[in-house]
C-alpha cells in the first residue's frame, strides 16, 4: 500500500493563519512582532529565501526588515549591524542568512546575536539549552519536522528514529528533539558504515544529506515515516534526498519535496519570532 502523504504546505498554511491571528491580538496590545534578516552578498538561492521570509512575515502582520550588505562587508561591520539590531526594541527576531561569504566567520557572527532574539536557534546558548532540554528557540527546520510528525498522530515514544546528517542546523537538533520525544535515536553521517543496516531499522527516518535520490526503497523499513529535508536542484527542478517514486510505495508516511518540510521551516521561523515578541 502506498504511503500517506504528509502535506507540509497545507500544514504550514494552517499554522501561518494561527500565527496571523495571534499577531493581530498582539498588535491590539501595541506590540508588532518584528523580524530582521541580514543578507550579505548576492547568493541567488539566499536572495530567494530572504525574499520569501520577508513576504511571509508581512503576510502574518509582522514587521519585516531586510538588511542587504555588500559581499565585501567585514566581520566588524557585520557584528556592528547585529549589535544595532540587538538594541532595537522594535526587532524581536534576528536572522543572519547562511552561508556567509567565505571571509566571514559564521560562528562568531551568530554568537553576537542576542540569544533572546535568536529566532534560528543557532546561538551556542540556545544550542546548549536544547541539549539540556530547557526552553529555548528551536531551529526552524527540525521544529517543523517535529510538528509534521506530531500531526500524523503517530506515537513517537519508544520508536526507532534514524537521522541521516549531523549538521548543526538540521541533523543534530533533529536528533535531540526526537530523543526528547522518547525515540531511540541513531545519527548517521558521511563516515557511517553500512548506512542501510541502520536506516532499515527506522520507524522514523529523517534524511538531511543534500543528495538527490540518496534514500532508496531498499534502505527503508515497510511502513516507516520518511521525512525528506533535502533540497537539491536537478535539471532546474527541486527534488529531495529521497527517491520519492519508489520509497512512496513502501513507507507508511512520506513528505514530498517541494511541499513538505520546506514550507514548515518558514512557518516555524514566524512562530519563533512571535514567541520572541512575548507570546
Ligand atoms: P550539510 O551539508 O551541513 O550536512 C549534510 C550531512 O549529510 C552531513 O552531516 C554529512 O555527514 C551527511 N552525509 C553526506 N554524505 C553522506 C553519506 N554518503 N552518507 C551518510 N551521510 C552523509 O547540510 P545541511 O545544512 O544539514 O542540509 C542538508 C539538506 O537539507 C540540504 O539539501 C539542504 O539544502 C536541506 N535543507 C533544507 C531545509 C528546509 O527547509 N527544507 C533547511 C535546511 C537544509
Amino acid at each position: 500500500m502506498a504511503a500517506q502523504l504528509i502535506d507540509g504546505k497545507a500544514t504550514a498554511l494552517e499554522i501561518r493563519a494561527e500565527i496571523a491571528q495571534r499577531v493581530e491580538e498582539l498588535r491590539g496590545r501595541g506590540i508588532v512582532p518584528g523580524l530582521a534578516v541580514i543578507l550579505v552578498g548576492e547568493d541567488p538561492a539566499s536572495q530567494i529565501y530572504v525574499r520569501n521570509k520577508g513576504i511571509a512575515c508581512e503576510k502574518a502582520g509582522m514587521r519585516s526588515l531586510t538588511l542587504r550588505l555588500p559581499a565585501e562587508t567585514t566581520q566588524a561591520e557585520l557584528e556592528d549591524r547585529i549589535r544595532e539590531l540587538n538594541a532595537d526594541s522594535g526587532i524581536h527576531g534576528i536572522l543572519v542568512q547562511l552561508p556567509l561569504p567565505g571571509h566571514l566567520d559564521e560562528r562568531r557572527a551568530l554568537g553576537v546575536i542576542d540569544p533572546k532574539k535568536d529566532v534560528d536557534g543557532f546561538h551556542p546558548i540556545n544550542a546548549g539549552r536544547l541539549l539540556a532540554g530547557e526552553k529555548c528557540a528551536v531551529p526552524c527546520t527540525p521544529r517543523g519536522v517535529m510538528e509534521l510528525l506530531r500531526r500524523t498522530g503517530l506515537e513517537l515514544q519508544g520508536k526507532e528514529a534514524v537521522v541521516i546528517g549531523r549538521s548543526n542546523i538540521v541533523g543534530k537538533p533533529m536528533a535531540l528533539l526526537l530523543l526528547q520525544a522518547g525515540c531511540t535515536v541513531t545519527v548517521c553521517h558521511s563516515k557511517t558504515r553500512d548506512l542501510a543496516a541502520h536506516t532499515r531499522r527506522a520507524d522514523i527516518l529523517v534524511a538531511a544529506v543534500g543528495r538527490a535520490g540518496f534514500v532508496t526503497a531498499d534502505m527503508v523499513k515497510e511502513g516507516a515515516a520518511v521525512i525528506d529535508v533535502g533540497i537539491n536542484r536537478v535539471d532546474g527542478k527541486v527534488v529531495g534526498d529521497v527517491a520519492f517514486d519508489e520509497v512512496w510505495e513502501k513507507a507508511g508516511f512520506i513528505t514530498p519535496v517541494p511541499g513538505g518540510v520546506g514550507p514548515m521551516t518558514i512557518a516555524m521561523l514566524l512562530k519563533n519570532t512571535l514567541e520572541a515578541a512575548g507570546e
Side-chain angles (χ1 to χ4, degrees):
M1 214 178 78
Q4 272 189 50
L5 199 70
I6 301 178
D7 189 342
K9 196 172 166 190
T11 306
L13 281 174
E14 268 172 43
I15 294 172
R16 283 169 62 170
E18 290 161 19
I19 291 172
Q21 208 168 359
R22 299 234 296 275
V23 170
E24 212 177 291
E25 287 160 23
L26 273 185
R27 290 178 79 111
R29 288 169 22 211
I31 304 168
V32 183
L35 173 69
V37 178
I38 302 181
L39 173 64
V40 188
E42 267 136 39
D43 178 66
S46 292
Q47 293 200 24
I48 295 171
Y49 293 147
V50 166
R51 202 188 59 216
N52 290 343
K53 286 169 189 174
I55 293 170
C57 237
E58 281 163 13
K59 275 194 178 161
M62 297 185 180
R63 178 176 167 224
S64 153
L65 177 71
T66 304
L67 292 189
R68 294 172 199 279
L69 305 181
E72 30 331 319
T73 300
T74 65
Q75 185 78 27
E77 282 165 349
L78 173 61
E79 292 182 12
D80 281 347
R81 301 314 293 267
I82 296 172
R83 285 192 193 92
E84 282 164 25
L85 293 169
N86 283 344
D88 184 339
S89 59
I91 293 296
H92 304 90
I94 303 169
L95 180 157
V96 175
Q97 184 65 40
L98 303 178
L100 288 172
H103 67 283
L104 295 172
D105 183 336
E106 263 174 29
R107 304 279 345 141
R108 252 184 58 198
L110 295 176
V112 174
I113 298 174
D114 178 344
K116 292 196 284 299
K117 297 190 176 186
D118 169 37
V119 282
D120 253 342
F122 296 160
H123 191 287
I125 294 223
N126 283 318
R129 285 187 183 141
L130 183 65
L131 185 71
E134 291 170 16
K135 194 171 166 0
C136 62
V138 174
C140 304
T141 301
R143 186 173 187 188
V145 171
M146 293 309 291
E147 195 72 41
L148 287 179
L149 282 172
R150 286 207 187 93
R151 287 178 187 231
T152 61
L154 275 179
E155 172 63 78
L156 299 181
Q157 207 161 341
K159 293 284 162 61
E160 290 285 337
V162 174
V163 179
I164 320 178
R166 57 171 162 181
S167 71
N168 289 338
I169 62 169
V170 188
K172 284 187 208 164
M174 188 72 252
L176 289 171
L177 292 173
L178 289 163
L179 191 62
Q180 271 173 23
C183 295
T184 302
V185 182
T186 304
V187 182
C188 297
H189 47 80
S190 55
K191 304 288 184 287
T192 297
R193 287 190 209 150
D194 199 357
L195 178 66
H198 294 284
T199 59
R200 275 192 217 110
R201 287 188 298 100
D203 301 308
I204 297 155
L205 179 60
V206 181
V209 185
R211 287 206 201 174
F214 183 78
V215 174
T216 46
D218 59 310
M219 296 167 73
V220 174
K221 180 177 171 178
E222 195 84 42
V226 179
I227 308 292
D228 192 349
V229 178
I231 300 178
N232 310 289
R233 279 173 183 79
V234 177
D235 301 331
K237 266 182 66 185
V238 174
V239 298
D241 288 347
V242 174
F244 186 90
D245 290 345
E246 53 177 90
V247 173
W248 145 266
E249 308 261 338
K250 203 170 177 189
F253 291 92
I254 192 165
T255 60
V257 177
V261 175
M264 289 298 287
T265 297
I266 292 206
M268 293 301 112
L269 173 66
L270 298 179
K271 203 163 194 172
N272 282 350
T273 306
L274 182 71
E275 286 168 0
E279 265 274 304

